[in-house]
Each structure stands twice: as C-alpha cells, then as structure tokens.
Amino acid sequence: MPDTDVAQSFPDLLRAQIRHGFTAAQQYLAAAVYFDSNRLPQLAGHAYARSREQYTNALRMVQYLLDRDLEVRIVGLEEIHSTFDSPRAAMALLLDSEQSRNTQISDLARAARTSGDYLGERFVQWFLEEQVKNVAGMTTLLAVLDRADGQLFDVEEFVARELRPGPRADMAAPKMAGAAKN
C-alpha cells in the first residue's frame, strides 16, 4: 500500500507544474514579443509557437486532474522577464527555463512511481519525452546563435529552414482541458 504522504505529493507537484506551465507560456510570449520588436520574425514565430505549446501542456495537466476527480487550482504566475540584453540572453533564459522544467517533470515522474500511482506515472511519460526534445531544441538554437556571431540573419534563416512548425497531430498526447470531448 502506498505511503499516504508520498501519494499526496504527486497531485500537489502536478498542481505546481500547472503554474510552471502557464508561467513558461507567458515567458515564451514575452520573448516572442521581444524578438518581434527587434524585427526577428522567425525567432518570434518560434517563441509564439512554444508559448502555445506550454499553455496547452498546462491544460493537459488540468484535464488529467479533472479526469481523476482531483482538486484543480489555477493560481498566479511566477516572475516573467520581458526585457533582455540581446537575443542570446533571451534564448539562454528560455533554455534555462526548459532545463528547470526537465527537473520538475522528472520529479513528477519520481513522485508518481514512489507513491505507486501508475496512472500518474504513465501520464508523465509523454511530458518526459517532450522535455528531452524541448531541451535539445533550445540547446541547438542557442548554439546556432553563438556560432552566428551576431549575424542574426543567419539565425533567422536557420529557424525558417530547420524549425518550421509542421502539422503535428500527436495521437499519444494527453487530452487538453477545454478541447472537444470525444
């Protein structure tokens, strides 16, 4: 039988992760606006798309709690940085944020496993895979920015060529709160 204190930690961590997810969506939005204001439309588009992904991922977590008939709390956001010294500084902040979320999602998986919450553990697996892709993508983008040595046109070309959003219907993705019910 799972330890009650540990069993409580997974839903609590998931509630905290919802807040982190909405904060991440706002942080990506702030970076997108910064890129847009600096006439970097490809970086802006990439950040706007990542903002939407973070928002929908938070709603997936909301739906999971609703489906499990667990309490859902939507609370305020953490601090959002909206001014940056450079495009590289904005990208470095976003990478740092992704790395933090990597740790948070790993903690969620650990809490689910430790408490014997196999449904929670299965649910978190998709997010773990997403985080690997997210961190790798942001690491690559930061490396490209560094190699471009201030030539932002080259970075814009890379984003346009390599990071184009395509149609992505991920059938394995958990359902999202507010989406059409099946």
Side-chain angles (χ1 to χ4, degrees), residues 87-89 91-92 95 139-152 155:
R88 190 207 185 283
M91 200 57 62
L95 174 58
T139 299
T140 298
L141 196 45
L142 189 58
V144 168
L145 263 165
D146 288 342
R147 278 189 298 238
D149 197 30
Q151 300 298 317
L152 294 176
V155 176

Side-chain angles (χ1 to χ4, degrees), residues 14 38 65-66 73 137-139 177 179:
L14 192 57
N38 283 282
L65 289 173
L66 291 171
R73 288 181 229 125
M138 293 307 290
T139 299

Side-chain angles (χ1 to χ4, degrees), residues 18 22 40 82 84 91-92 104 115 122 136 149 152 159 163:
I18 290 167
F22 286 135
L40 298 166
S82 58
F84 306 95
M91 200 57 62
Q104 293 160 352
S115 68
R122 173 103 169 114
D149 197 30
L152 294 176
V159 173
L163 301 180

Side-chain angles (χ1 to χ4, degrees), residues 11 29 40 66 73 79 88 99-100 102 126 131 143-144 160 179:
L29 181 59
L40 298 166
L66 291 171
R73 288 181 229 125
E79 182 181 358
R88 190 207 185 283
Q99 290 168 331
S100 291
N102 219 24
W126 184 83
Q131 276 311 116
V144 168

Side-chain angles (χ1 to χ4, degrees), residues 49-149:
R50 296 288 301 126
S51 174
R52 286 187 295 275
E53 287 176 30
Q54 294 298 327
Y55 184 81
T56 58
N57 285 348
L59 289 178
R60 292 178 202 290
M61 293 176 186
V62 167
Q63 188 62 53
Y64 176 83
L65 289 173
L66 291 171
D67 287 348
R68 298 282 307 270
D69 200 25
L70 297 169
E71 180 183 9
V72 179
R73 288 181 229 125
I74 305 300
V75 297
L77 303 177
E78 298 151 28
E79 182 181 358
I80 305 299
H81 301 278
S82 58
T83 58
F84 306 95
D85 293 333
S86 66
R88 190 207 185 283
M91 200 57 62
L93 177 75
L94 295 174
L95 174 58
D96 185 55
S97 177
E98 288 293 352
Q99 290 168 331
S100 291
R101 259 186 317 289
N102 219 24
T103 300
Q104 293 160 352
I105 298 295
S106 293
D107 290 346
L108 268 173
R110 186 178 306 104
R113 177 170 286 178
T114 302
S115 68
D117 185 344
Y118 302 112
L119 294 174
E121 185 176 356
R122 173 103 169 114
F123 172 73
V124 173
Q125 291 303 311
W126 184 83
F127 294 97
L128 287 169
E129 292 173 21
E130 282 294 297
Q131 276 311 116
V132 169
K133 294 177 203 170
N134 293 345
V135 170
M138 293 307 290
T139 299
T140 298
L141 196 45
L142 189 58
V144 168
L145 263 165
D146 288 342
R147 278 189 298 238
D149 197 30

